[in-house]
Amino acid sequence: MSTASPAASTAKSDAAAAFARGLEGIVAGESAICSVEQGKLIYRGYEIHDLAEHATFEQVAFLLLVGHKPSEHELVKFKHEVVAERALASQVVAFLESMGGYLASGRAVPMDVLRTSVSILGHLDPDCQDNSPAANLRKSKRLLAKIPTIIGHMQNVIDGKSIIGREHGGDPTLSHAANLLYLMTGHKPAHPYERVLDVSLILYAEHDFNASTFTSRVIAGTLSDMHGAVCGGIAALKGPLHGGANEMAMEMLKEIMHDVGEAKIGTAAVDEWMQKAFDTKRKLMGFGHRVYKNGDHRAPILHKLGRTLAETDQKNPGGHSAAKWFALGEQVQKIMLDKKNIHPNVDFPCGLTYFTMGIPVPQYTPIFVASRITGWCAHISEQHANNRLIRPLSAYTGPAEKNWLG
Ligand code: COA
């Protein structure tokens, strides 16, 4: 016999009516930060093509975190504040150094090491337990500043190099994008590299109630702190169905290149590889999207920039010319569209573009974090400022009620 109260039963039947697997199509809250409705991607009123063409990542970060387009004076101040926060405390550097062997052997992966580093940052942040708007903004700027430094130092440790920019978190004269590349490699990037990374950061910065942002909001909705909510966001982003897809898309292309051979790119051999993948119902990473069924707005923007870089690039990532990788990527895209009517999402050109730039594959999703931290922090602050606990119901599918004593 059911012991559920009448009120609980009513809530249950309402829930059953609204149930959608994976919350597909469900509006789970309100937000003034981003819109993916009506065939456009908009950050606080500005359309993504407009931002990718005319804005810098620092401007977009300000827009998302503060809520409006920065004036010249506001931007200078914001950049100055962020640059001043780039260096890491010795405890975080020591942790990263201690992970060298684990990272090099693959026992630890960069996304997890980044997550733990953010957790340590929380312990050290004087505002950690303060969820007020002012404290949240201060913490957002610190996280924005320090995440590229974590990624750079981590890569130095993996490469067995001494830490670059230990004292100041890089070169204070460099932009966010250029400093990230500098911290990873020790080389100041040429302008086209800086610009392509900058645009990719703009494209990745925000995407309404995606899985990681929603995770962050659920955590913030319990009135837990920003660092905890960001750690949850990083864990969610790591998954291959979400941010981890940029790494997996490139791994898949490497697999095709290996199996088919460079000489057979552009021939039916690639179609045959793809057909086998379709026959075994394999998910092809970097394709499909829960919201965009007719194509991801961001993908063509990044594809065009990455392809231009590949055409002029002298590097041979993975032992093949960058242009060959793009030729393979374009063939795979065409087959997916012709046979399955599934478009690439932004992670597909991102994988190709970062590979062209010589960025190590396991750092693609951490770089996504270096950008999405702005969206997460904006959402966490918005949730704290107008909170209601996020607590849905489930549709019970377990056994009927039984007596414990039989
Ligand atoms: N490769 C192969 N088939 C795919 C596919 C992909 N990447 N994405 C979707 N499909 C197929 C599904 O198998 C399903 O086919 P079916 O109806 O015959 O079963 C159909 O398209 C609908 O897909 P569905 O899984 O319902 O879409 P979703 O909205 O639940 O999934 C993703 C969205 C993103 C999880 C899914 O497209 C995916 O797993 N993509 C690969 C991972 C990825 O790139 N993630 C980054 C997203 S930005």
Side-chain angles (χ1 to χ4, degrees):
M1 199 180 78
S2 170
T3 54
S5 70
S9 308
T10 309
K12 197 78 170 177
S13 37
D14 288 351
F19 172 67
R21 268 191 95 212
L23 297 182
E24 182 164 2
I26 301 284
V27 175
E30 292 176 310
S31 175
I33 301 166
C34 173
S35 165
V36 293
E37 295 167 331
Q38 297 154 8
K40 286 185 176 178
L41 170 58
I42 289 172
Y43 297 173
R44 296 204 188 268
Y46 298 94
E47 201 271 329
I48 196 67
H49 289 83
D50 193 10
L51 293 171
E53 201 173 336
H54 302 118
T56 63
F57 176 67
E58 282 88 336
Q59 289 172 315
V60 169
F62 182 100
L63 173 73
L64 291 170
L65 292 173
V66 181
H68 62 264
K69 180 181 166 183
S71 67
E72 255 176 61
H73 171 71
E74 285 173 321
L75 185 63
V76 169
K77 185 166 173 281
F78 179 75
K79 286 206 269 192
H80 182 76
E81 287 167 345
V82 173
V83 167
E85 292 286 354
R86 279 178 178 168
L88 298 179
S90 58
Q91 293 92 328
V92 186
V93 180
F95 165 67
L96 290 168
E97 287 179 320
S98 77
M99 293 311 293
Y102 293 91
L103 283 160
S105 69
R107 258 181 79 186
V109 295
M111 279 297 273
D112 294 349
V113 172
L114 176 58
R115 189 198 64 228
T116 307
S117 305
V118 168
S119 206
I120 300 172
L121 289 181
H123 306 317
L124 306 176
D125 195 304
D127 291 315
C128 187
Q129 310 306 334
D130 184 348
N131 293 339
S132 67
N136 274 346
L137 183 57
R138 288 195 295 274
K139 288 187 278 188
S140 305
K141 288 180 204 164
R142 291 184 196 124
L143 283 163
L144 172 65
K146 291 182 198 306
I147 285 172
T149 318
I150 295 170
I151 296 169
H153 289 6
M154 187 174 4
Q155 190 56 44
N156 303 156
V157 166
I158 293 169
D159 293 340
K161 286 188 194 158
S162 53
I163 301 271
I164 297 161
R166 185 190 283 259
E167 206 180 329
H168 302 294
D171 181 335
T173 65
L174 294 179
S175 71
H176 203 72
N179 193 53
L180 173 53
L181 292 172
Y182 170 65
L183 283 164
M184 291 178 84
T185 63
H187 303 294
K188 294 180 188 171
H191 179 69
Y193 284 82
E194 176 184 0
R195 181 64 191 146
V196 170
L197 186 66
D198 195 72
V199 173
S200 76
L201 296 179
I202 292 172
L203 299 176
Y204 267 145
E206 169 50 14
H207 215 212
D208 94 328
F209 277 23
N210 60 85
S212 56
T213 302
F214 191 61
T215 303
S216 300
R217 285 194 80 126
V218 170
I219 296 171
T222 68
L223 297 183
S224 189
D225 67 286
M226 177 172 274
H227 285 82
V230 168
C231 287
I234 295 174
L237 191 77
K238 175 191 169 193
L241 297 188
H242 190 12
N246 57 10
E247 295 178 18
M248 299 306 290
M250 198 56 228
E251 292 298 351
M252 182 187 76
L253 287 173
K254 286 205 253 174
E255 193 184 330
I256 304 175
M257 184 70 96
H258 172 267
D259 293 351
V260 166
E262 178 173 335
K264 291 196 176 153
I265 304 299
T267 72
V270 178
D271 295 72
E272 282 162 27
W273 193 99
M274 295 285 287
Q275 193 52 53
K276 272 193 207 142
F278 298 148
D279 293 345
T280 54
K281 301 233 174 284
R282 177 172 168 170
K283 274 266 163 91
L284 297 173
M285 293 299 156
F287 286 92
H289 200 276
R290 174 57 64 79
V291 178
Y292 301 129
K293 298 300 180 193
N294 298 315
D296 179 334
H297 310 297
R298 304 162 297 177
I301 302 174
L302 196 52
H303 188 96
K304 193 171 162 208
L305 285 173
R307 194 184 206 284
T308 307
L309 203 63
E311 279 161 6
T312 52
D313 202 273
Q314 300 306 311
K315 284 204 187 96
N316 268 345
H320 306 280
S321 77
K324 260 290 176 216
W325 286 107
F326 264 83
L328 173 60
E330 283 167 11
Q331 191 181 0
V332 167
Q333 280 183 200
K334 185 170 181 326
I335 297 167
M336 274 302 268
L337 205 54
D338 290 349
K339 298 257 172 74
K340 292 274 170 188
N341 196 26
I342 298 178
H343 294 261
N345 57 57
V346 68
D347 292 317
F348 194 73
C350 174
L352 275 167
T353 303
Y354 287 178
F355 198 63
T356 296
M357 295 172 75
I359 297 173
V361 176
Q363 297 290 15
Y364 295 1
T365 322
I367 293 174
F368 191 158
V369 175
S371 161
R372 184 59 60 87
I373 187 67
T374 53
W376 290 336
C377 289
H379 278 274
I380 292 163
S381 305
E382 187 178 60
Q383 184 70 36
H384 278 157
N386 185 17
N387 191 52
R388 183 161 166 82
L389 178 76
I390 300 170
R391 201 298 187 194
L393 297 168
S394 66
Y396 179 64
T397 59
E401 189 175 342
K402 316 177 216 194
N403 286 329
W404 187 250
L405 296 178

